Amino acid sequence: MSMTEATDLADLPLDELIACPQCDALYRARMPAMGSRAVCKRCHTVLIAPKTNAYLHLIVLSLTVVVLMVGAVTFPFLGVNVAGFSNKASVVDTALTFMDGGWMVALSMFVVAFIILIPLFRALLVLYVVAPLTLGRRPFLGARRAFGWSEDLRPWSMAEIFIIGCAVALVKVADLAKVEFGPAFFMFAALVVITVLQDINMDRWSIWKALEETS
Ligand SMILES: [Zn+2]
């Protein structure tokens, strides 16, 4: 593995160092061979993992997130049936349930931002950053800033919390009403899984390096 111990790192320029995101151990960063991985010696977190077609995978996953999000917003999310009366709601309806005035309006806006706009925006940012790299072109203007935003917004992308919250709430009302999951529910669940997988597998160091070298 092309990592050296922390003792002789003091003289190295900052851009040659990589810190483990889990335990903060510091290493000298060198690109491992295609298909192999640089792993933290202390906690075994994968630090760098160049893969063939990694950019292409990212593009496909991000496009999938965009398509699923459009579907998840358009199709019915939940259907509730109580004593013959039925009602269908979209994700946006669900998020805007609290829109009856005061600070609850702000809360609804935050919910829409956290579960729809931010995940969508992050997928679009990744597409913007990675598409030129896939084609071996120079990155688009501001690609580094765009990738920085995508990373900064990661903790604010809360689609998974929303879907878990909905599932828990539905289990509780299942006795009172007949609840049906609409197509949007499954689209939303799928996009949550894809986003999580993408965040886990994304080789950030390689992307930063590619942006540095070509811009
Ligand atoms: Zn570590």
Side-chain angles (χ1 to χ4, degrees), residues 14-19 21 29 31 47-50 54-55 58 122 125-126 129-130 133 139-140 142-154 202-215:
L14 272 182
D15 62 350
E16 283 188 32
L17 297 176
I18 184 170
M31 187 64 94
L47 302 176
I48 311 170
Y55 295 146
L58 268 179
R122 285 192 70 219
L125 285 173
V126 169
V129 170
V130 177
L133 299 180
F140 290 135
R144 289 166 73 174
R145 188 180 302 159
F147 193 54
W149 282 346
S150 161
E151 289 298 286
D152 290 346
L153 285 172
R154 197 176 161 193
M202 182 154 52
D203 184 353
R204 297 172 167 79
W205 188 84
S206 299
I207 295 176
W208 282 120
K209 207 71 191 165
L211 292 177
E212 253 167 44
E213 279 163 7
T214 47
S215 54

mmCIF file of all heavy atoms in Angstrom, residues 14-19 21 29 31 47-50 54-55 58 122 125-126 129-130 133 139-140 142-154 202-215:
data_model
loop_
_atom_site.group_PDB
_atom_site.id
_atom_site.type_symbol
_atom_site.label_atom_id
_atom_site.label_comp_id
_atom_site.label_asym_id
_atom_site.label_seq_id
_atom_site.Cartn_x
_atom_site.Cartn_y
_atom_site.Cartn_z
ATOM 1 N N LEU A 14 0.820 20.134 2.015
ATOM 2 C CA LEU A 14 -0.510 19.697 2.460
ATOM 3 C C LEU A 14 -1.248 18.856 1.419
ATOM 4 O O LEU A 14 -1.956 17.917 1.761
ATOM 5 C CB LEU A 14 -1.367 20.928 2.791
ATOM 6 C CG LEU A 14 -1.257 21.447 4.220
ATOM 7 C CD1 LEU A 14 -2.179 22.627 4.403
ATOM 8 C CD2 LEU A 14 -1.599 20.338 5.221
ATOM 9 N N ASP A 15 -1.077 19.199 0.148
ATOM 10 C CA ASP A 15 -1.879 18.492 -0.858
ATOM 11 C C ASP A 15 -1.381 17.069 -1.106
ATOM 12 O O ASP A 15 -1.976 16.329 -1.875
ATOM 13 C CB ASP A 15 -1.979 19.293 -2.157
ATOM 14 C CG ASP A 15 -0.632 19.521 -2.807
ATOM 15 O OD1 ASP A 15 0.391 19.222 -2.150
ATOM 16 O OD2 ASP A 15 -0.601 19.985 -3.966
ATOM 17 N N GLU A 16 -0.277 16.701 -0.442
ATOM 18 C CA GLU A 16 0.156 15.308 -0.570
ATOM 19 C C GLU A 16 -0.310 14.468 0.615
ATOM 20 O O GLU A 16 0.024 13.293 0.729
ATOM 21 C CB GLU A 16 1.684 15.233 -0.680
ATOM 22 C CG GLU A 16 2.174 15.626 -2.059
ATOM 23 C CD GLU A 16 3.654 15.368 -2.247
ATOM 24 O OE1 GLU A 16 4.165 14.403 -1.640
ATOM 25 O OE2 GLU A 16 4.268 16.147 -2.972
ATOM 26 N N LEU A 17 -1.043 15.108 1.520
ATOM 27 C CA LEU A 17 -1.490 14.386 2.708
ATOM 28 C C LEU A 17 -2.967 14.020 2.568
ATOM 29 O O LEU A 17 -3.735 14.717 1.919
ATOM 30 C CB LEU A 17 -1.311 15.263 3.952
ATOM 31 C CG LEU A 17 0.124 15.645 4.293
ATOM 32 C CD1 LEU A 17 0.138 16.580 5.476
ATOM 33 C CD2 LEU A 17 0.959 14.405 4.582
ATOM 34 N N ILE A 18 -3.319 12.920 3.195
ATOM 35 C CA ILE A 18 -4.739 12.559 3.253
ATOM 36 C C ILE A 18 -5.034 12.113 4.681
ATOM 37 O O ILE A 18 -4.242 11.388 5.282
ATOM 38 C CB ILE A 18 -5.107 11.471 2.214
ATOM 39 C CG1 ILE A 18 -6.602 11.180 2.234
ATOM 40 C CG2 ILE A 18 -4.302 10.186 2.449
ATOM 41 C CD1 ILE A 18 -7.054 10.307 1.071
ATOM 42 N N ALA A 19 -6.137 12.622 5.232
ATOM 43 C CA ALA A 19 -6.520 12.254 6.597
ATOM 44 C C ALA A 19 -7.669 11.263 6.528
ATOM 45 O O ALA A 19 -8.557 11.379 5.684
ATOM 46 C CB ALA A 19 -6.938 13.493 7.374
ATOM 47 N N PRO A 21 -11.112 9.991 7.247
ATOM 48 C CA PRO A 21 -12.324 10.694 7.689
ATOM 49 C C PRO A 21 -12.914 10.111 8.977
ATOM 50 O O PRO A 21 -13.675 10.769 9.667
ATOM 51 C CB PRO A 21 -13.292 10.521 6.516
ATOM 52 C CG PRO A 21 -12.781 9.362 5.740
ATOM 53 C CD PRO A 21 -11.295 9.282 5.974
ATOM 54 N N ALA A 29 -0.564 10.672 0.618
ATOM 55 C CA ALA A 29 -1.518 10.171 -0.371
ATOM 56 C C ALA A 29 -0.806 9.855 -1.675
ATOM 57 O O ALA A 29 -0.137 10.705 -2.249
ATOM 58 C CB ALA A 29 -2.601 11.218 -0.617
ATOM 59 N N MET A 31 -1.707 7.678 -5.409
ATOM 60 C CA MET A 31 -2.740 6.951 -6.135
ATOM 61 C C MET A 31 -2.378 5.469 -6.193
ATOM 62 O O MET A 31 -1.352 5.105 -6.744
ATOM 63 C CB MET A 31 -2.854 7.525 -7.545
ATOM 64 C CG MET A 31 -3.999 6.974 -8.344
ATOM 65 S SD MET A 31 -5.599 7.377 -7.631
ATOM 66 C CE MET A 31 -6.004 8.862 -8.540
ATOM 67 N N LEU A 47 -9.637 4.790 1.969
ATOM 68 C CA LEU A 47 -9.288 6.194 1.740
ATOM 69 C C LEU A 47 -9.316 6.547 0.257
ATOM 70 O O LEU A 47 -9.852 7.569 -0.138
ATOM 71 C CB LEU A 47 -7.896 6.484 2.318
ATOM 72 C CG LEU A 47 -7.732 6.198 3.814
ATOM 73 C CD1 LEU A 47 -6.299 6.433 4.240
ATOM 74 C CD2 LEU A 47 -8.668 7.063 4.628
ATOM 75 N N ILE A 48 -8.687 5.727 -0.547
ATOM 76 C CA ILE A 48 -8.651 5.977 -1.987
ATOM 77 C C ILE A 48 -8.929 4.652 -2.684
ATOM 78 O O ILE A 48 -8.328 3.635 -2.339
ATOM 79 C CB ILE A 48 -7.265 6.490 -2.441
ATOM 80 C CG1 ILE A 48 -6.789 7.650 -1.550
ATOM 81 C CG2 ILE A 48 -7.300 6.920 -3.896
ATOM 82 C CD1 ILE A 48 -5.348 8.039 -1.790
ATOM 83 N N ALA A 49 -9.833 4.673 -3.642
ATOM 84 C CA ALA A 49 -10.166 3.423 -4.337
ATOM 85 C C ALA A 49 -10.462 3.698 -5.805
ATOM 86 O O ALA A 49 -11.617 3.764 -6.203
ATOM 87 C CB ALA A 49 -11.356 2.738 -3.664
ATOM 88 N N PRO A 50 -9.419 3.904 -6.602
ATOM 89 C CA PRO A 50 -9.693 4.168 -8.016
ATOM 90 C C PRO A 50 -10.247 2.921 -8.693
ATOM 91 O O PRO A 50 -9.718 1.834 -8.530
ATOM 92 C CB PRO A 50 -8.314 4.525 -8.586
ATOM 93 C CG PRO A 50 -7.331 3.937 -7.640
ATOM 94 C CD PRO A 50 -7.995 3.827 -6.303
ATOM 95 N N ALA A 54 -15.422 4.384 -12.650
ATOM 96 C CA ALA A 54 -16.000 4.952 -11.428
ATOM 97 C C ALA A 54 -16.839 6.186 -11.753
ATOM 98 O O ALA A 54 -17.930 6.367 -11.212
ATOM 99 C CB ALA A 54 -14.901 5.314 -10.441
ATOM 100 N N TYR A 55 -16.347 7.040 -12.648
ATOM 101 C CA TYR A 55 -17.076 8.257 -13.008
ATOM 102 C C TYR A 55 -18.393 7.905 -13.697
ATOM 103 O O TYR A 55 -19.426 8.517 -13.438
ATOM 104 C CB TYR A 55 -16.242 9.141 -13.934
ATOM 105 C CG TYR A 55 -14.988 9.695 -13.295
ATOM 106 C CD1 TYR A 55 -13.843 9.881 -14.044
ATOM 107 C CD2 TYR A 55 -14.965 10.030 -11.950
ATOM 108 C CE1 TYR A 55 -12.691 10.398 -13.470
ATOM 109 C CE2 TYR A 55 -13.822 10.537 -11.362
ATOM 110 C CZ TYR A 55 -12.683 10.726 -12.125
ATOM 111 O OH TYR A 55 -11.553 11.224 -11.557
ATOM 112 N N LEU A 58 -20.879 6.865 -11.218
ATOM 113 C CA LEU A 58 -21.400 8.036 -10.512
ATOM 114 C C LEU A 58 -22.455 8.751 -11.345
ATOM 115 O O LEU A 58 -23.489 9.177 -10.833
ATOM 116 C CB LEU A 58 -20.264 9.023 -10.234
ATOM 117 C CG LEU A 58 -19.535 8.899 -8.910
ATOM 118 C CD1 LEU A 58 -18.432 9.944 -8.828
ATOM 119 C CD2 LEU A 58 -20.508 9.080 -7.762
ATOM 120 N N ARG A 122 -27.680 18.042 -5.026
ATOM 121 C CA ARG A 122 -26.413 17.314 -4.891
ATOM 122 C C ARG A 122 -26.181 16.401 -6.085
ATOM 123 O O ARG A 122 -25.059 16.316 -6.598
ATOM 124 C CB ARG A 122 -26.407 16.472 -3.598
ATOM 125 C CG ARG A 122 -26.209 17.289 -2.342
ATOM 126 C CD ARG A 122 -25.932 16.371 -1.157
ATOM 127 N NE ARG A 122 -24.634 15.739 -1.255
ATOM 128 C CZ ARG A 122 -24.382 14.480 -0.913
ATOM 129 N NH1 ARG A 122 -25.347 13.716 -0.454
ATOM 130 N NH2 ARG A 122 -23.179 13.994 -1.020
ATOM 131 N N LEU A 125 -25.128 18.538 -8.952
ATOM 132 C CA LEU A 125 -23.751 19.018 -8.780
ATOM 133 C C LEU A 125 -22.751 17.932 -9.170
ATOM 134 O O LEU A 125 -21.767 18.195 -9.868
ATOM 135 C CB LEU A 125 -23.500 19.447 -7.323
ATOM 136 C CG LEU A 125 -24.111 20.767 -6.870
ATOM 137 C CD1 LEU A 125 -23.915 20.943 -5.358
ATOM 138 C CD2 LEU A 125 -23.492 21.953 -7.599
ATOM 139 N N VAL A 126 -23.009 16.693 -8.725
ATOM 140 C CA VAL A 126 -22.099 15.589 -9.058
ATOM 141 C C VAL A 126 -22.057 15.381 -10.576
ATOM 142 O O VAL A 126 -20.989 15.198 -11.157
ATOM 143 C CB VAL A 126 -22.502 14.289 -8.322
ATOM 144 C CG1 VAL A 126 -21.736 13.093 -8.866
ATOM 145 C CG2 VAL A 126 -22.251 14.431 -6.826
ATOM 146 N N VAL A 129 -19.921 18.043 -12.106
ATOM 147 C CA VAL A 129 -18.493 17.875 -11.818
ATOM 148 C C VAL A 129 -17.917 16.698 -12.609
ATOM 149 O O VAL A 129 -16.829 16.792 -13.193
ATOM 150 C CB VAL A 129 -18.278 17.650 -10.302
ATOM 151 C CG1 VAL A 129 -16.853 17.226 -9.994
ATOM 152 C CG2 VAL A 129 -18.638 18.901 -9.523
ATOM 153 N N VAL A 130 -18.639 15.589 -12.633
ATOM 154 C CA VAL A 130 -18.056 14.337 -13.106
ATOM 155 C C VAL A 130 -18.220 14.121 -14.622
ATOM 156 O O VAL A 130 -17.372 13.487 -15.247
ATOM 157 C CB VAL A 130 -18.643 13.148 -12.309
ATOM 158 C CG1 VAL A 130 -18.119 11.825 -12.831
ATOM 159 C CG2 VAL A 130 -18.287 13.287 -10.831
ATOM 160 N N LEU A 133 -15.192 14.846 -16.683
ATOM 161 C CA LEU A 133 -14.084 13.942 -16.336
ATOM 162 C C LEU A 133 -14.251 12.600 -17.038
ATOM 163 O O LEU A 133 -13.289 11.978 -17.477
ATOM 164 C CB LEU A 133 -14.019 13.724 -14.816
ATOM 165 C CG LEU A 133 -13.782 14.965 -13.950
ATOM 166 C CD1 LEU A 133 -13.739 14.585 -12.473
ATOM 167 C CD2 LEU A 133 -12.499 15.673 -14.344
ATOM 168 N N PRO A 139 -12.626 20.086 -16.604
ATOM 169 C CA PRO A 139 -13.850 20.274 -15.809
ATOM 170 C C PRO A 139 -14.547 21.577 -16.192
ATOM 171 O O PRO A 139 -13.899 22.502 -16.672
ATOM 172 C CB PRO A 139 -13.321 20.371 -14.374
ATOM 173 C CG PRO A 139 -11.921 19.912 -14.406
ATOM 174 C CD PRO A 139 -11.409 20.078 -15.789
ATOM 175 N N PHE A 140 -15.860 21.620 -15.980
ATOM 176 C CA PHE A 140 -16.601 22.848 -16.212
ATOM 177 C C PHE A 140 -16.162 23.922 -15.235
ATOM 178 O O PHE A 140 -15.572 23.632 -14.192
ATOM 179 C CB PHE A 140 -18.108 22.600 -16.040
ATOM 180 C CG PHE A 140 -18.708 21.751 -17.119
ATOM 181 C CD1 PHE A 140 -19.577 20.721 -16.785
ATOM 182 C CD2 PHE A 140 -18.402 21.968 -18.453
ATOM 183 C CE1 PHE A 140 -20.138 19.924 -17.773
ATOM 184 C CE2 PHE A 140 -18.963 21.183 -19.450
ATOM 185 C CZ PHE A 140 -19.825 20.159 -19.109
ATOM 186 N N GLY A 142 -15.932 26.313 -12.301
ATOM 187 C CA GLY A 142 -16.404 26.215 -10.918
ATOM 188 C C GLY A 142 -16.656 24.800 -10.443
ATOM 189 O O GLY A 142 -17.361 24.595 -9.462
ATOM 190 N N ALA A 143 -16.078 23.804 -11.141
ATOM 191 C CA ALA A 143 -16.341 22.409 -10.777
ATOM 192 C C ALA A 143 -15.879 22.102 -9.357
ATOM 193 O O ALA A 143 -16.546 21.378 -8.619
ATOM 194 C CB ALA A 143 -15.657 21.470 -11.773
ATOM 195 N N ARG A 144 -14.746 22.700 -8.952
ATOM 196 C CA ARG A 144 -14.248 22.418 -7.599
ATOM 197 C C ARG A 144 -15.185 22.975 -6.550
ATOM 198 O O ARG A 144 -15.457 22.339 -5.529
ATOM 199 C CB ARG A 144 -12.836 22.982 -7.426
ATOM 200 C CG ARG A 144 -11.822 22.178 -8.220
ATOM 201 C CD ARG A 144 -10.520 22.884 -8.336
ATOM 202 N NE ARG A 144 -9.792 22.883 -7.064
ATOM 203 C CZ ARG A 144 -8.557 23.350 -6.942
ATOM 204 N NH1 ARG A 144 -7.926 23.852 -7.979
ATOM 205 N NH2 ARG A 144 -7.949 23.307 -5.784
ATOM 206 N N ARG A 145 -15.682 24.194 -6.821
ATOM 207 C CA ARG A 145 -16.628 24.774 -5.874
ATOM 208 C C ARG A 145 -17.904 23.923 -5.825
ATOM 209 O O ARG A 145 -18.465 23.672 -4.756
ATOM 210 C CB ARG A 145 -16.962 26.212 -6.288
ATOM 211 C CG ARG A 145 -17.792 26.931 -5.238
ATOM 212 C CD ARG A 145 -18.108 28.350 -5.661
ATOM 213 N NE ARG A 145 -16.906 29.121 -5.924
ATOM 214 C CZ ARG A 145 -16.871 30.239 -6.675
ATOM 215 N NH1 ARG A 145 -17.968 30.670 -7.239
ATOM 216 N NH2 ARG A 145 -15.757 30.897 -6.857
ATOM 217 N N ALA A 146 -18.356 23.471 -7.004
ATOM 218 C CA ALA A 146 -19.577 22.659 -7.071
ATOM 219 C C ALA A 146 -19.413 21.367 -6.264
ATOM 220 O O ALA A 146 -20.305 20.974 -5.514
ATOM 221 C CB ALA A 146 -19.909 22.335 -8.527
ATOM 222 N N PHE A 147 -18.241 20.735 -6.397
ATOM 223 C CA PHE A 147 -18.018 19.486 -5.652
ATOM 224 C C PHE A 147 -17.941 19.776 -4.149
ATOM 225 O O PHE A 147 -18.448 18.998 -3.337
ATOM 226 C CB PHE A 147 -16.737 18.805 -6.144
ATOM 227 C CG PHE A 147 -16.604 17.393 -5.664
ATOM 228 C CD1 PHE A 147 -17.616 16.478 -5.878
ATOM 229 C CD2 PHE A 147 -15.465 16.978 -4.974
ATOM 230 C CE1 PHE A 147 -17.509 15.178 -5.421
ATOM 231 C CE2 PHE A 147 -15.346 15.675 -4.520
ATOM 232 C CZ PHE A 147 -16.374 14.778 -4.746
ATOM 233 N N GLY A 148 -17.331 20.913 -3.800
ATOM 234 C CA GLY A 148 -17.288 21.326 -2.396
ATOM 235 C C GLY A 148 -18.692 21.512 -1.828
ATOM 236 O O GLY A 148 -18.987 21.060 -0.725
ATOM 237 N N TRP A 149 -19.574 22.146 -2.615
ATOM 238 C CA TRP A 149 -20.963 22.330 -2.166
ATOM 239 C C TRP A 149 -21.643 20.986 -1.960
ATOM 240 O O TRP A 149 -22.330 20.770 -0.964
ATOM 241 C CB TRP A 149 -21.760 23.113 -3.218
ATOM 242 C CG TRP A 149 -21.503 24.579 -3.208
ATOM 243 C CD1 TRP A 149 -20.869 25.306 -2.225
ATOM 244 C CD2 TRP A 149 -21.866 25.518 -4.226
ATOM 245 N NE1 TRP A 149 -20.815 26.620 -2.579
ATOM 246 C CE2 TRP A 149 -21.418 26.791 -3.803
ATOM 247 C CE3 TRP A 149 -22.518 25.409 -5.456
ATOM 248 C CZ2 TRP A 149 -21.610 27.939 -4.560
ATOM 249 C CZ3 TRP A 149 -22.713 26.545 -6.207
ATOM 250 C CH2 TRP A 149 -22.265 27.802 -5.767
ATOM 251 N N SER A 150 -21.451 20.100 -2.934
ATOM 252 C CA SER A 150 -22.089 18.782 -2.841
ATOM 253 C C SER A 150 -21.662 18.076 -1.554
ATOM 254 O O SER A 150 -22.478 17.456 -0.872
ATOM 255 C CB SER A 150 -21.718 17.959 -4.076
ATOM 256 O OG SER A 150 -21.931 16.599 -3.827
ATOM 257 N N GLU A 151 -20.374 18.212 -1.202
ATOM 258 C CA GLU A 151 -19.873 17.572 0.023
ATOM 259 C C GLU A 151 -20.398 18.292 1.269
ATOM 260 O O GLU A 151 -20.775 17.656 2.249
ATOM 261 C CB GLU A 151 -18.340 17.571 0.018
ATOM 262 C CG GLU A 151 -17.753 16.618 -0.998
ATOM 263 C CD GLU A 151 -18.165 15.187 -0.695
ATOM 264 O OE1 GLU A 151 -17.645 14.609 0.258
ATOM 265 O OE2 GLU A 151 -19.039 14.667 -1.404
ATOM 266 N N ASP A 152 -20.429 19.636 1.214
ATOM 267 C CA ASP A 152 -20.903 20.406 2.374
ATOM 268 C C ASP A 152 -22.375 20.128 2.665
ATOM 269 O O ASP A 152 -22.818 20.182 3.810
ATOM 270 C CB ASP A 152 -20.726 21.913 2.129
ATOM 271 C CG ASP A 152 -19.254 22.316 2.140
ATOM 272 O OD1 ASP A 152 -18.425 21.494 2.604
ATOM 273 O OD2 ASP A 152 -18.936 23.416 1.676
ATOM 274 N N LEU A 153 -23.138 19.854 1.609
ATOM 275 C CA LEU A 153 -24.588 19.661 1.772
ATOM 276 C C LEU A 153 -24.941 18.242 2.220
ATOM 277 O O LEU A 153 -26.093 17.962 2.543
ATOM 278 C CB LEU A 153 -25.313 19.958 0.450
ATOM 279 C CG LEU A 153 -25.444 21.439 0.089
ATOM 280 C CD1 LEU A 153 -25.991 21.589 -1.320
ATOM 281 C CD2 LEU A 153 -26.359 22.161 1.083
ATOM 282 N N ARG A 154 -23.937 17.380 2.240
ATOM 283 C CA ARG A 154 -24.216 15.971 2.533
ATOM 284 C C ARG A 154 -24.989 15.757 3.837
ATOM 285 O O ARG A 154 -25.977 15.025 3.865
ATOM 286 C CB ARG A 154 -22.892 15.210 2.558
ATOM 287 C CG ARG A 154 -23.037 13.732 2.445
ATOM 288 C CD ARG A 154 -21.662 13.130 2.375
ATOM 289 N NE ARG A 154 -21.710 11.725 2.714
ATOM 290 C CZ ARG A 154 -20.647 11.004 2.985
ATOM 291 N NH1 ARG A 154 -19.466 11.551 2.962
ATOM 292 N NH2 ARG A 154 -20.770 9.733 3.281
ATOM 293 N N MET A 202 -18.228 6.666 -3.172
ATOM 294 C CA MET A 202 -17.586 7.713 -3.956
ATOM 295 C C MET A 202 -16.139 7.924 -3.502
ATOM 296 O O MET A 202 -15.862 8.111 -2.326
ATOM 297 C CB MET A 202 -18.371 9.017 -3.836
ATOM 298 C CG MET A 202 -17.764 10.111 -4.666
ATOM 299 S SD MET A 202 -18.929 11.376 -5.173
ATOM 300 C CE MET A 202 -19.701 11.888 -3.700
ATOM 301 N N ASP A 203 -15.219 7.872 -4.469
ATOM 302 C CA ASP A 203 -13.811 8.068 -4.163
ATOM 303 C C ASP A 203 -13.493 9.561 -4.268
ATOM 304 O O ASP A 203 -13.098 10.063 -5.308
ATOM 305 C CB ASP A 203 -12.970 7.251 -5.158
ATOM 306 C CG ASP A 203 -11.497 7.334 -4.821
ATOM 307 O OD1 ASP A 203 -11.127 8.110 -3.916
ATOM 308 O OD2 ASP A 203 -10.718 6.624 -5.466
ATOM 309 N N ARG A 204 -13.730 10.290 -3.169
ATOM 310 C CA ARG A 204 -13.601 11.749 -3.187
ATOM 311 C C ARG A 204 -12.188 12.203 -3.520
ATOM 312 O O ARG A 204 -11.992 13.166 -4.253
ATOM 313 C CB ARG A 204 -14.013 12.310 -1.833
ATOM 314 C CG ARG A 204 -15.442 12.014 -1.564
ATOM 315 C CD ARG A 204 -15.885 12.365 -0.189
ATOM 316 N NE ARG A 204 -17.333 12.311 -0.175
ATOM 317 C CZ ARG A 204 -18.019 11.187 -0.089
ATOM 318 N NH1 ARG A 204 -17.390 10.036 0.026
ATOM 319 N NH2 ARG A 204 -19.322 11.200 -0.116
ATOM 320 N N TRP A 205 -11.212 11.500 -2.963
ATOM 321 C CA TRP A 205 -9.829 11.920 -3.163
ATOM 322 C C TRP A 205 -9.486 11.910 -4.653
ATOM 323 O O TRP A 205 -8.870 12.843 -5.160
ATOM 324 C CB TRP A 205 -8.889 10.998 -2.372
ATOM 325 C CG TRP A 205 -7.479 11.483 -2.375
ATOM 326 C CD1 TRP A 205 -6.929 12.420 -1.531
ATOM 327 C CD2 TRP A 205 -6.435 11.073 -3.262
ATOM 328 N NE1 TRP A 205 -5.616 12.611 -1.857
ATOM 329 C CE2 TRP A 205 -5.279 11.799 -2.910
ATOM 330 C CE3 TRP A 205 -6.356 10.171 -4.319
ATOM 331 C CZ2 TRP A 205 -4.064 11.634 -3.574
ATOM 332 C CZ3 TRP A 205 -5.151 10.017 -4.969
ATOM 333 C CH2 TRP A 205 -4.016 10.737 -4.605
ATOM 334 N N SER A 206 -9.889 10.851 -5.352
ATOM 335 C CA SER A 206 -9.585 10.755 -6.786
ATOM 336 C C SER A 206 -10.269 11.879 -7.567
ATOM 337 O O SER A 206 -9.701 12.408 -8.524
ATOM 338 C CB SER A 206 -10.023 9.402 -7.350
ATOM 339 O OG SER A 206 -9.336 8.365 -6.700
ATOM 340 N N ILE A 207 -11.476 12.239 -7.156
ATOM 341 C CA ILE A 207 -12.184 13.315 -7.866
ATOM 342 C C ILE A 207 -11.485 14.651 -7.638
ATOM 343 O O ILE A 207 -11.219 15.391 -8.575
ATOM 344 C CB ILE A 207 -13.658 13.377 -7.423
ATOM 345 C CG1 ILE A 207 -14.385 12.100 -7.851
ATOM 346 C CG2 ILE A 207 -14.356 14.595 -8.031
ATOM 347 C CD1 ILE A 207 -15.814 12.007 -7.393
ATOM 348 N N TRP A 208 -11.141 14.921 -6.364
ATOM 349 C CA TRP A 208 -10.422 16.174 -6.073
ATOM 350 C C TRP A 208 -9.118 16.227 -6.872
ATOM 351 O O TRP A 208 -8.751 17.255 -7.431
ATOM 352 C CB TRP A 208 -10.102 16.304 -4.582
ATOM 353 C CG TRP A 208 -11.252 16.730 -3.726
ATOM 354 C CD1 TRP A 208 -11.798 16.029 -2.691
ATOM 355 C CD2 TRP A 208 -11.998 17.962 -3.807
ATOM 356 N NE1 TRP A 208 -12.839 16.744 -2.141
ATOM 357 C CE2 TRP A 208 -12.978 17.916 -2.801
ATOM 358 C CE3 TRP A 208 -11.924 19.078 -4.650
ATOM 359 C CZ2 TRP A 208 -13.878 18.961 -2.596
ATOM 360 C CZ3 TRP A 208 -12.821 20.105 -4.441
ATOM 361 C CH2 TRP A 208 -13.789 20.043 -3.425
ATOM 362 N N LYS A 209 -8.424 15.097 -6.905
ATOM 363 C CA LYS A 209 -7.142 15.033 -7.609
ATOM 364 C C LYS A 209 -7.354 15.312 -9.111
ATOM 365 O O LYS A 209 -6.606 16.071 -9.708
ATOM 366 C CB LYS A 209 -6.545 13.641 -7.409
ATOM 367 C CG LYS A 209 -5.038 13.576 -7.490
ATOM 368 C CD LYS A 209 -4.406 14.228 -6.284
ATOM 369 C CE LYS A 209 -2.898 14.408 -6.505
ATOM 370 N NZ LYS A 209 -2.323 15.335 -5.522
ATOM 371 N N ALA A 210 -8.381 14.705 -9.676
ATOM 372 C CA ALA A 210 -8.651 14.894 -11.103
ATOM 373 C C ALA A 210 -9.014 16.354 -11.378
ATOM 374 O O ALA A 210 -8.609 16.922 -12.398
ATOM 375 C CB ALA A 210 -9.795 13.982 -11.546
ATOM 376 N N LEU A 211 -9.752 16.980 -10.453
ATOM 377 C CA LEU A 211 -10.132 18.380 -10.654
ATOM 378 C C LEU A 211 -8.904 19.283 -10.553
ATOM 379 O O LEU A 211 -8.771 20.261 -11.267
ATOM 380 C CB LEU A 211 -11.179 18.799 -9.616
ATOM 381 C CG LEU A 211 -12.548 18.145 -9.744
ATOM 382 C CD1 LEU A 211 -13.456 18.591 -8.613
ATOM 383 C CD2 LEU A 211 -13.174 18.461 -11.090
ATOM 384 N N GLU A 212 -7.995 18.934 -9.638
ATOM 385 C CA GLU A 212 -6.766 19.723 -9.463
ATOM 386 C C GLU A 212 -5.867 19.632 -10.694
ATOM 387 O O GLU A 212 -5.328 20.614 -11.159
ATOM 388 C CB GLU A 212 -5.966 19.141 -8.293
ATOM 389 C CG GLU A 212 -5.978 19.979 -7.051
ATOM 390 C CD GLU A 212 -5.442 19.167 -5.884
ATOM 391 O OE1 GLU A 212 -4.422 18.468 -6.079
ATOM 392 O OE2 GLU A 212 -6.052 19.211 -4.816
ATOM 393 N N GLU A 213 -5.723 18.415 -11.199
ATOM 394 C CA GLU A 213 -4.784 18.188 -12.282
ATOM 395 C C GLU A 213 -5.224 18.803 -13.582
ATOM 396 O O GLU A 213 -4.414 19.172 -14.416
ATOM 397 C CB GLU A 213 -4.566 16.683 -12.470
ATOM 398 C CG GLU A 213 -3.569 16.121 -11.466
ATOM 399 C CD GLU A 213 -3.654 14.617 -11.352
ATOM 400 O OE1 GLU A 213 -4.387 14.011 -12.131
ATOM 401 O OE2 GLU A 213 -2.968 14.073 -10.472
ATOM 402 N N THR A 214 -6.549 18.911 -13.763
ATOM 403 C CA THR A 214 -7.023 19.336 -15.079
ATOM 404 C C THR A 214 -7.478 20.781 -15.114
ATOM 405 O O THR A 214 -7.755 21.307 -16.179
ATOM 406 C CB THR A 214 -8.195 18.452 -15.534
ATOM 407 O OG1 THR A 214 -9.103 18.352 -14.457
ATOM 408 C CG2 THR A 214 -7.703 17.085 -15.939
ATOM 409 N N SER A 215 -7.580 21.433 -13.943
ATOM 410 C CA SER A 215 -8.073 22.813 -14.003
ATOM 411 C C SER A 215 -6.942 23.800 -13.774
ATOM 412 O O SER A 215 -5.858 23.427 -13.383
ATOM 413 C CB SER A 215 -9.181 23.037 -12.981
ATOM 414 O OG SER A 215 -8.753 22.667 -11.695
#
